Amino acid sequence: MSLKKSSKEILLRSLFAFIGVAILGLGAATLRIGQVGLDPYTSSNIALGNLLGLSLGVYQLLMNGFLLVLLVVFGRKYIGTGTVINMVGAGFFIDFFTKMMNTYQIEPNSWFSQLLFLFIGVLIFTFGASFYMAASVGTAPYDAIAPVIVDYTKLDYRFVRVVQDVGFSLIAYFFQGPVGMGTFISAFLMGPFIKFWDQKISYPIIEGTLKTLGEV
């Protein structure tokens, strides 16, 4: 790949990032409808948004805006078109898909169906996260917190990320957010799932498509 991306390549990668964020939103909505707990960041945003009388989409956009300001100061290299797509789109996609599932009454009616919602939701959510990150056009504000801290402290990334996720999980728990098994899986086990999608689907599709189109 050339060191400097062309405008067409950035546009195509941004499109892939948009698709990834939409898939991520569908996965989070599946976990939300299944009432099995969402990822730590979304759970805390739902909790605090409810406290302030704001929808997830609106509150998460405000929170992402605050984190983006910190990124501009401390981690500008992590900002790209994918950052904006994620910070603006993720919460609204979750709200949209949640509303669609409620409209068509797609919901669990037993503990077994709840397990299915958990399994399917985690798979979709982690695939969406992998796909948007594999586009390589910037990191979501929340996902950039740990790398920025590592840059300044040289601490182990996995340690920082777990502490970060556990901290936001506790915020969600104390403010009565949707905390459950899905939150636990997201906080501790999401990495291996994302790595699997990276290797098997996300990078092969994105880089293969760009190579076919002569953009890499």
Side-chain angles (χ1 to χ4, degrees):
M1 185 190 301
S2 60
L3 292 177
K4 187 175 181 180
K5 296 182 179 69
S6 67
S7 297
K8 184 179 178 182
E9 181 184 351
I10 292 174
L11 180 62
L12 289 170
R13 287 184 180 276
S14 298
L15 176 60
F16 283 125
F18 180 84
I19 293 171
V21 170
I23 295 171
L24 180 152
L26 175 60
T30 302
L31 294 170
R32 189 180 188 181
I33 290 294
Q35 298 181 1
V36 291
L38 289 91
D39 65 281
Y41 186 54
T42 305
S43 296
S44 65
N45 285 337
I46 289 175
L48 296 176
N50 287 340
L51 192 66
L52 297 173
L54 300 174
S55 70
L56 170 63
V58 172
Y59 179 82
Q60 188 153 303
L61 179 59
L62 294 173
M63 185 65 180
N64 282 335
F66 170 73
L67 293 177
L68 182 63
V69 172
L70 296 180
L71 269 186
V72 170
V73 177
F74 298 106
R76 191 169 299 180
K77 66 180 180 180
Y78 295 103
I79 298 174
T81 56
T83 307
V84 178
I85 291 169
N86 187 290
M87 67 175 283
V88 174
F92 290 107
F93 273 125
I94 296 170
D95 278 343
F96 170 76
F97 286 120
T98 299
K99 184 177 180 180
M100 291 294 292
M101 290 182 189
N102 282 326
T103 299
Y104 291 100
Q105 298 183 330
I106 301 173
E107 58 186 19
N109 53 23
S110 67
W111 67 267
F112 180 74
S113 60
Q114 270 195 300
L115 286 178
L116 285 179
F117 270 76
L118 172 63
F119 179 71
I120 294 171
V122 167
L123 288 182
I124 296 174
F125 181 86
T126 52
F127 174 57
S130 165
F131 207 74
Y132 107 75
M133 288 190 285
S136 302
V137 282
T139 306
Y142 179 79
D143 292 328
I145 293 175
V148 169
I149 292 175
V150 170
D151 288 343
Y152 282 89
T153 65
K154 309 305 178 186
L155 292 170
D156 179 71
Y157 171 80
R158 287 173 295 182
F159 169 77
V160 175
R161 182 62 192 242
V162 168
V163 170
Q164 172 185 329
D165 286 338
V166 169
F168 276 83
S169 297
L170 290 174
I171 292 173
Y173 175 78
F174 285 117
F175 289 97
Q176 301 181 326
V179 176
M181 186 59 69
T183 312
F184 172 82
I185 292 174
S186 296
F188 293 98
L189 303 175
M190 192 162 63
F193 282 106
I194 291 177
K195 186 175 181 180
F196 171 81
W197 293 123
D198 283 348
Q199 296 174 342
K200 300 298 182 180
I201 297 183
S202 300
Y203 279 106
I205 286 180
I206 293 174
E207 299 302 328
T209 301
L210 292 172
K211 187 175 181 180
T212 300
L213 295 174
E215 292 302 317
V216 295

